[in-house]
Amino acid sequence: MKFTALAAAALAMTFGNAALADAHSGKVKIGLITTLTGGGAALGVDTRDGFMLAIDQAANDAVEVVVEDDQRKPDVAVQVADKMIQSDKVDILTGIVWSNLAMAVAPAANAQGKFYISTNAAPAQLAGKGCNKDYFAVSYQNDNMHEAAGAHATASGYTNAFILAPNYPAGQDSLTGFKRLYEGELAGELYTKLGQTDYAAEIAQIRASGADSIFFFLPGGMGISFLKQYADSGIELPVIGPSFSFDQGILQAVGDAALGIHNTSQWNKDIDNPTNKAFVETFQETYDRLPTLYAAQAFDTANLILAAAGQADIADRDAFRAALKAADFNSVRGKFRFGNNQHPIQDIYVREVIKEGDVYTNKIISTILTDHQDVYAADCGLSD
């Protein structure tokens, strides 16, 4: 792999000499389970590519990664995880995009003495009373982007929002999160089917609702379908969503219908720090596309694991866990730290969809939440 001077400098800053060296006799074996085929595959491909970019850059022979496809099916994810634990003898599981799959895999992996380090899915059930010393979420807690959207809707003066999301754990967390920091009334609240592509009925309800704005969480192809159908409907209500519905892949598919929409995220390609600049540059150089949130989170997850592996032997679980908790690496987000429940405390931004040349993308326009921690941390028995 070819590196620019900027990428090489940021790489050295991210790891330091100790983490790049095989500092311990024990090897670390990682099982990356993600969605590589079927619906939602683009999100899993970005997750894999972001994770493997960091692994390839580190060139650390002590770290091995096994990659498997979960097909966005909980039973397949469980089978793959069992194989990785029993046959491949992995030390760490990671990579799952979807919260219903994470709920099927992460607690069972922790019960078998394995670390689960989430690149994306972070359901409420695992952040509060169900937190576990061997479970880390590098991404966020599921409610966070939606809480930020609710705060932004309030700050924008909207008082009668119509909200909708798919009926699965992350969708439920999304509407809960939005309502937590939104101070207005609701013109309507709907749960759609996971994987749904026809939103004619929902759009008809929005039209008749008297709403002054719309909040929706529909990741992957669901968001593409909704945005196109909404644009064709002629309804001109302002739309707010989380980053998951406005990532690079979705924006290219939706096109002009997404321009000007505000969405919330803890990462964007224009965050101004050397690690993020190098990540965006090398990801685009390597894969010939701009990175998404999923790729950025996976890149951070891999770098967290690599940093921990440079500080502690995986065989010493307490020491390795402490190294993970310390999060001693340079994040693409800039500042990064874990709360007591091992979910990030971080800034969340409002982004606006723009067009740069022929490419639809996002730019940060404000910080809506600073050093934000999820509400479930108060119910977690782990200490800081």
Side-chain angles (χ1 to χ4, degrees), residues 8 32 83 102 170 250 344 368 378:
L32 179 73
K83 171 186 172 293
I250 286 177
I368 189 66

Short mmCIF file of all heavy atoms in Angstrom, two decimals, residues 8 32 83 102 170 250 344 368 378:
data_model
loop_
_atom_site.label_atom_id
_atom_site.label_comp_id
_atom_site.label_asym_id
_atom_site.label_seq_id
_atom_site.Cartn_x
_atom_site.Cartn_y
_atom_site.Cartn_z
N ALA A 8 1.61 9.05 6.38
CA ALA A 8 2.68 8.43 7.17
C ALA A 8 2.88 9.17 8.49
O ALA A 8 3.06 8.55 9.54
CB ALA A 8 3.98 8.43 6.37
N LEU A 32 -14.00 -10.32 12.59
CA LEU A 32 -14.80 -9.22 12.07
C LEU A 32 -16.03 -9.80 11.38
O LEU A 32 -15.94 -10.39 10.30
CB LEU A 32 -13.97 -8.39 11.08
CG LEU A 32 -14.69 -7.22 10.42
CD1 LEU A 32 -14.87 -6.08 11.42
CD2 LEU A 32 -13.93 -6.71 9.20
N LYS A 83 -18.52 -20.11 15.37
CA LYS A 83 -17.38 -20.68 14.63
C LYS A 83 -16.09 -19.94 14.96
O LYS A 83 -15.04 -20.55 15.18
CB LYS A 83 -17.66 -20.62 13.14
CG LYS A 83 -16.46 -20.99 12.26
CD LYS A 83 -16.76 -20.76 10.80
CE LYS A 83 -15.51 -20.95 9.93
NZ LYS A 83 -14.49 -19.89 10.20
N ALA A 102 -26.30 -7.48 16.83
CA ALA A 102 -25.40 -7.24 17.96
C ALA A 102 -25.99 -7.82 19.25
O ALA A 102 -25.26 -8.41 20.07
CB ALA A 102 -25.13 -5.75 18.12
N ALA A 170 -32.38 -0.49 17.06
CA ALA A 170 -31.82 0.83 16.75
C ALA A 170 -32.91 1.83 16.36
O ALA A 170 -32.81 3.02 16.66
CB ALA A 170 -30.78 0.73 15.65
N ILE A 250 -25.45 6.74 0.30
CA ILE A 250 -26.84 7.14 0.17
C ILE A 250 -26.95 8.44 -0.64
O ILE A 250 -27.80 8.57 -1.53
CB ILE A 250 -27.49 7.31 1.55
CG1 ILE A 250 -27.75 5.93 2.18
CG2 ILE A 250 -28.79 8.10 1.46
CD1 ILE A 250 -28.32 5.97 3.56
N PRO A 344 -18.57 6.13 24.08
CA PRO A 344 -17.85 7.41 23.98
C PRO A 344 -18.58 8.58 24.62
O PRO A 344 -19.82 8.66 24.59
CB PRO A 344 -17.74 7.63 22.46
CG PRO A 344 -17.95 6.30 21.84
CD PRO A 344 -18.90 5.59 22.75
N ILE A 368 -23.81 20.70 18.00
CA ILE A 368 -25.09 20.77 18.70
C ILE A 368 -25.00 20.21 20.12
O ILE A 368 -25.69 20.69 21.02
CB ILE A 368 -26.22 20.07 17.90
CG1 ILE A 368 -27.60 20.33 18.51
CG2 ILE A 368 -25.95 18.58 17.75
CD1 ILE A 368 -28.05 21.78 18.43
N ALA A 378 -25.70 6.12 33.66
CA ALA A 378 -26.01 6.23 35.08
C ALA A 378 -26.48 4.90 35.68
O ALA A 378 -26.37 4.69 36.90
CB ALA A 378 -27.08 7.30 35.29
#
